[in-house]
């Protein structure tokens, strides 16, 4: 996985060097690399073709930015375009002006609908709402039990649906809506049975439920590991049922998630959340740019460049990059970065721009939140210049002295040093060096 | 948005047929090969594996091979790749423990039930073990299957160590001189080291507690899966010693071509395919039929 990524980056970087202008020829070469990257990431073949045509038009028409090499520029256009398709900016979950809102989740078998119902309930509760959960899955063994368990463990009410009740679906659904409104629940979160888009009978059933419940959101729950078929199923759900948004699940693995692009391209519906684990809190608001980078297998190094340029701290950033590259990065720099990069966003933000795969994942996990940054700055302030240059000299008594000076516990000092060393180690990796090479 | 692939290929075919007698040019050959490559990629075979298959095709076929010849050669090539290890499917002739492993939502539980139903019908003494102690209602899901099929299910409690459930199951499997024990496990993403270690432990327990049994570890893959299937197979092979693939949801429009790359790279046979949600929706894998469907 990671080998492939670095190999591709290497090819790309090799190609970048020495190219001064965007020409038809090097453009074709760059586009081919992109095409392969897309296909390897499971973006649908036809979607890739369409996309390629658009990129080509854009790239040849655009003025060369002084700061970027042609291929970097192509990558930048691709990434921007990708992020554009994926939604540009974040789209919020919709609620009805006349509560209760109804949020209905649909999709193929095993895509993550039931789990996502729990995650959504938890999320809406976090913005002060009181959700009610119901499942129309009367098919899969223990489907009711599954949602009920999830609802109960999170402390949300669960409305039991039975085959007997659903014998007269219209009445059952009306009763459910009345129950929801009378008890003041909002939203009503509706789980449905997984079904194949080619199963006409089940699709018709779903269409009926949709017609009666008149949901505010009809969410297509798609699996991030899906391959080329993503377009067919998503499109069928859009055409036969009608969707308003998409949630992508199982992004906690190393799937590149090209299905995201395929699904959005054929349905035109925005992705609003992503699932990043089985537990109810493993749920995040979707960020188009991060997804764009993930699909491309590139760290979002370009937006870093942009940010740096925007903040007029170019010289500082370049110096930092140079030091990182040369592995001259010291604790002193670490602190400087902490302070200086406040403008660019925190360090964790910076680390978040690296691809969420392989060793980067650990790096992002070792992220530094903003409060910690203040503490870390205090710790570094209490060190002697020698200690900042060379943290290896930090023995027990020195650490105790620093702890007194900074008012932070010794284990936090240990943590800082460990994190710093981890970062140094990470920066030695060739792929990071290459990414930094991109920073000039 | 896209006409279906078969229509598309049909169109391509007629186009080729028209020129077939007129030219014997190299371009036509490349065009045909490109079309075949596109079909493979659309079936999730992947860029790399498709490239290798096409390369083999280029060297093995004559320069003037027509479209029908090339398509046939491609099918032969793929079928050969998929047949390499298509032997030794478990038949319950000796005590057999089948571990169902894979990422979340692929169809492990349902496929476990299908296998139990199949072996029971063959007159074997079958047991199920519910080693998914994590997902909500996973125990109940398998228990309901067991009840429906009339197959005993060894259950565990939520949060318990799955290896402990398997340990219990093996003990009663041995005591009752069972033929086939099908173990359902919790879905896990292959990059989660803790959960993969947990699986390795389950495998170890089986080997230790029932050394005389044949251990079959099946990776359950959803036919809709893309290229991530390959790293998945690699990791599950490492931790649970895979012996084959169970491809599910073949009743949809997805082709499941990712298994071609897995068979090629990891030399793993595809054992069964699932074609629906019922216990009888199970087939033994046939390379020929699969290849026909892959390119249709
Ligand atoms: N159409 C179709 N659906 C299937 C097939 N196999 C399983 N399913 C469905 O896919 C969904 C997931 O199946 P499960 O058997 O629960 O999958 P699992 O791998 O045990 O899932 P977890 O334990 O949650 O990881 C269920 O709705 C099944 O009914 C198949 O061959 N075809
Ligand atoms: N790792 C991971 N697993 C998930 C995620 N979302 C759902 N799952 C798992 O995927 C499987 C199927 O999910 P479920 O909600 O039952 O799918 P449904 O059939 O669409 O209702 C379960 O094992 C879930 O625990 C996710 O974001 N990451
Ligand atoms: Mg469900
Ligand atoms: Mg299961």
């Amino acid at each position: 996985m990671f080998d492939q990524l670095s190999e591709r980056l290497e090819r790309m970087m090799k190609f970048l060097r020495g190219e001064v202008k965007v020409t038809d020829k090097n453009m074709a070469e760059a586009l081919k690399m992109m095409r392969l990257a897309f296909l390897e990431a499971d973006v649908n073949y036809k979607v890739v073709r369409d996309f390629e045509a658009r990129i080509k038009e854009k790239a040849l028409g655009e003025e060369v930015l002084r700061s970027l090499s042609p291929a970097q520029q192509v990558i930048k256009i691709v990434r921007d375009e990708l992020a554009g398709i994926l939604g540009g900016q974040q789209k919020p979950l919709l609620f009805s002006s006349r509560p209760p809102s109804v949020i209905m989740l649909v999709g193929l078998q095993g895509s993550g609908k039931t789990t996502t119902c729990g995650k959504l309930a938890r999320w809406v509760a976090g913005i002060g709402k009181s959700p009610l959960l119901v499942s129309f899955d009367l098919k899969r063994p223990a489907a009711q039990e599954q949602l009920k368990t999830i609802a109960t463990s999170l402390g949300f009410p669960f409305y039991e649906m039975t085959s007997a009740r659903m014998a007269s679906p219209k009445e059952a659904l009306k009763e459910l809506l009345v129950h929801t409104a009378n008890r003041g629940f909002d939203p009503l979160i509706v789980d449905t049975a997984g079904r194949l888009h080619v199963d006409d009978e089940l699709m018709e059933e779903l269409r009926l439920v949709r017609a009666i419940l008149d949901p505010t959101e009809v969410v297509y729950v798609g699996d991030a590991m899906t391959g080329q078929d993503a377009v067919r199923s998503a499109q069928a759900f859009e055409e036969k049922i009608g969707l308003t948004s998409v949630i992508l699940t199982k992004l906690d693995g190393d799937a590149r998630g090209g299905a995201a692009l395929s699904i959005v391209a054929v349905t035109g519906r925005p992705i609003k959340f992503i699932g990043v684990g089985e537990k109810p809190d493993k749920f995040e608001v979707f960020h188009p740019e991060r997804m764009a980078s993930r699909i491309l297998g590139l760290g979002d190094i370009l937006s870093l460049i942009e940010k740096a340029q925007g903040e007029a701290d170019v010289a500082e950033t370049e110096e930092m990059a140079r030091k990182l590259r040369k592995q001259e990065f010291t604790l002193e720099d670490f602190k400087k970065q902490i302070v200086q990069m406040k403008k660019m966003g925190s360090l964790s933000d910076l680390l978040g721009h690296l691809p969420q795969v392989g060793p980067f994942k650990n790096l992002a996990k070792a992220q530094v939140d903003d409060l910690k940054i203040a503490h870390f700055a205090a710790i570094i302030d209490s060190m002697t210049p020698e200690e900042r240059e060379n943290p290896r000299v930090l023995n027990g008594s020195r650490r105790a002295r620093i702890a007194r000076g900074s008012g932070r516990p010794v284990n936090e000092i240990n943590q800082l040093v460990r994190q710093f060393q981890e970062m140094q180690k990470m920066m030695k990796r060739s792929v990071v060096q290459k990414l930094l090479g991109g920073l000039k | 948005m896209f006409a279906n692939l078969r229509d598309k290929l049909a169109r391509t075919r007629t186009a080729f047929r028209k020129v077939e007698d007129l030219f014997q040019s190299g371009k036509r050959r490349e065009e045909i090969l490109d079309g075949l490559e596109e079909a493979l990629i659309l079936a999730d075979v992947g860029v790399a594996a498709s490239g290798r298959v096409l390369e083999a095709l280029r060297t093995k076929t004559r320069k003037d091979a027509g479209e029908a010849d090339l398509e046939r050669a491609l099918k032969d090539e793929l079928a050969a790749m998929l047949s390499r290890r298509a032997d030794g499917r478990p038949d319950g002739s000796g005590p057999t423990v089948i571990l169902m492993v894979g990422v979340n939502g692929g169809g492990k539980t349902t496929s476990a039930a299908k296998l139990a139903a199949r072996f029971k019908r063959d007159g074997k003494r079958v047991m199920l073990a519910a080693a998914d102690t994590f997902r909500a209602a996973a125990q109940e899901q398998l228990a309901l299957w067991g009840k429906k099929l009339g197959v005993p299910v060894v259950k565990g409690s939520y949060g318990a160590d799955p290896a402990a459930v398997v340990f219990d199951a093996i003990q009663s499997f041995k005591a009752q001189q069972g033929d086939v024990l099908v173990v359902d496990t919790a879905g896990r993403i292959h990059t989660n080291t803790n959960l993969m270690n947990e699986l390795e432990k389950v495998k170890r327990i089986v080997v230790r507690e029932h050394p005389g049994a044949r251990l079959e570890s099946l990776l359950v893959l959803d036919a809709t899966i893309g290229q991530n299937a390959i790293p998945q197979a690699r990791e599950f092979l490492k931790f649970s010693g895979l012996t084959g693939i169970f491809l599910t949801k073949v009743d949809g429009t997805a082709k499941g071509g990712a298994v071609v790359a897995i068979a090629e790279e990891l030399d793993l046979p595809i054992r069964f395919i699932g074609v629906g949600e019922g216990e009888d929706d199970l087939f033994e894998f046939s390379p020929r039929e699969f290849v026909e469907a892959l390119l249709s």
Side-chain angles (χ1 to χ4, degrees), chain A residues 109 139-140 235 250, chain B residues 1 44 104 135 249 277:
Chain A
Q109 289 97 342
K139 198 165 175 229
R140 169 169 160 178
Q235 191 182 20
K250 308 183 199 173
Chain B
M1 183 173 166
D44 288 316
N104 312 86
R135 210 208 65 204
K249 310 187 194 174
E277 298 183 76

Side-chain angles (χ1 to χ4, degrees), chain A residues 73-282:
Chain A
Q73 200 181 347
V74 172
I75 300 168
K76 183 182 168 325
I77 292 168
V78 171
R79 212 215 54 223
D80 289 352
E81 187 79 1
L82 250 183
I85 292 178
L86 287 172
Q89 74 223 75
Q90 213 282 316
K91 308 274 192 309
L93 193 68
L94 299 179
F95 292 96
S96 167
S97 53
R98 290 183 303 125
S101 306
V102 176
I103 306 175
M104 181 167 140
L105 283 74
V106 302
L108 299 175
Q109 289 97 342
S111 65
K113 295 172 291 301
T114 310
T115 311
T116 306
C117 283
K119 292 176 175 177
L120 260 178
R122 189 177 170 277
W123 191 85
V124 298
I127 56 169
K129 309 221 169 241
S130 52
L132 171 66
L133 291 144
V134 65
S135 167
F136 288 112
D137 189 348
L138 299 166
K139 198 165 175 229
R140 169 169 160 178
Q144 292 289 322
E145 196 61 34
Q146 187 188 0
L147 188 62
K148 188 179 179 176
T149 307
I150 291 171
T152 311
S153 71
L154 290 168
F156 299 122
F158 172 75
Y159 185 94
E160 187 100 32
M161 195 44 78
T162 58
S163 306
R165 263 183 179 157
M166 279 304 274
S168 36
K170 272 196 188 126
E171 286 68 35
L173 293 174
K174 294 253 159 70
E175 207 181 299
L176 166 65
L177 287 175
V178 169
H179 174 93
T180 310
N182 285 349
R183 305 285 178 97
F185 292 125
D186 179 39
L188 172 66
I189 298 178
V190 179
D191 189 14
T192 61
R195 65 202 73 216
L196 286 174
H197 51 290
V198 287
D199 189 329
D200 290 332
E201 201 179 310
L202 288 183
M203 290 301 272
E204 178 57 24
E205 214 177 274
L206 196 57
R207 215 179 52 78
L208 257 165
V209 173
R210 187 204 204 287
I212 299 172
L213 288 180
D214 187 24
T216 325
E217 288 271 15
V218 182
V219 183
Y220 180 76
V221 179
D223 186 324
M225 303 180 295
T226 316
Q228 297 288 318
D229 197 52
V231 292
R232 282 209 199 85
S233 42
Q235 191 182 20
F237 273 92
E238 165 65 15
E239 277 168 6
K240 295 181 187 172
I241 313 296
L243 306 170
T244 62
S245 56
V246 176
I247 293 179
L248 208 63
T249 63
K250 308 183 199 173
L251 274 156
D252 40 325
D254 57 3
R256 299 277 287 284
L261 188 62
S262 305
I263 293 172
V264 174
V266 293
T267 62
R269 304 300 173 193
I271 300 174
K272 295 193 174 169
F273 297 95
I274 56 172
V276 291
E278 296 189 75
K279 305 226 170 84
D281 60 335
K282 299 291 181 194

Side-chain angles (χ1 to χ4, degrees), chain B residues 9-240:
Chain B
L9 274 187
R11 254 184 285 124
T12 329
R13 264 177 211 133
T14 38
F16 285 142
R17 228 151 260 147
K18 269 185 215 148
V19 291
E20 194 151 26
D21 303 318
L22 296 178
F23 303 99
Q24 297 287 341
S25 74
K27 180 157 189 276
R28 202 182 90 247
R29 176 183 162 89
E30 281 313 303
E31 256 174 47
I32 298 166
L33 290 173
D34 281 352
L36 292 174
E37 183 166 26
E38 179 182 338
L40 288 178
I41 290 172
L42 276 167
D44 288 316
V45 174
V47 177
S50 301
R52 286 194 296 269
V53 173
L54 264 288
E55 213 30 62
L57 205 61
R58 279 197 174 85
T59 54
K60 285 183 189 171
T61 52
R62 290 159 45 129
K63 288 278 171 293
D64 60 351
E67 195 242 353
D69 299 331
L70 284 170
E71 202 177 305
R72 177 96 338 258
L74 174 61
K75 285 179 178 169
D76 290 346
E77 179 73 25
L78 290 169
M81 272 168 59
L82 292 165
S83 309
R84 269 212 308 252
R85 287 272 323 268
D87 56 318
R89 190 178 283 116
D91 55 6
S93 53
T96 307
V97 179
I98 306 180
L99 278 186
M100 309 298 285
V101 305
V103 297
N104 312 86
K108 294 171 292 301
T109 310
T110 313
S111 305
K114 289 176 184 176
L115 287 174
R118 131 92 42 136
F119 287 116
K120 187 178 167 155
R121 217 181 38 229
D122 291 349
K124 304 292 176 196
R125 293 167 74 95
V126 184
M127 281 176 72
L128 282 161
D132 182 350
T133 56
F134 177 77
R135 210 208 65 204
Q139 293 285 319
E140 286 82 352
Q141 187 185 358
L142 196 69
L144 283 167
W145 272 116
K147 206 167 134 198
K148 185 170 184 209
L149 304 175
V151 169
V153 180
V154 176
K155 297 214 286 176
S157 46
Y158 288 104
D161 184 349
V165 181
V166 171
F167 181 88
D168 289 348
I170 297 263
Q171 303 317 320
S172 68
F173 181 63
K174 283 196 296 195
Q176 292 172 35
Q177 301 185 327
D179 299 312
V180 182
L181 171 66
V182 188
V183 180
D184 182 29
T185 65
R188 65 201 75 222
I189 303 281
H190 56 289
T191 52
N192 186 325
T193 323
N194 290 339
L195 293 181
M196 294 305 280
N197 285 330
E198 181 188 277
L199 194 60
E200 186 174 31
K201 187 171 162 198
V202 165
K203 187 196 82 180
R204 265 205 322 269
I205 294 291
V206 176
V207 174
R208 193 187 73 198
E209 294 302 314
H210 204 333
R214 165 174 180 173
L215 174 64
E216 180 83 7
S217 175
L218 293 180
L219 176 66
V220 178
L221 281 178
D222 184 325
T224 60
I225 197 151
Q227 296 314 296
N228 198 238
I230 298 145
Q232 281 176 25
R234 219 176 273 136
E235 291 304 304
F236 277 98
L237 178 64
K238 212 185 293 166
F239 287 89
S240 74

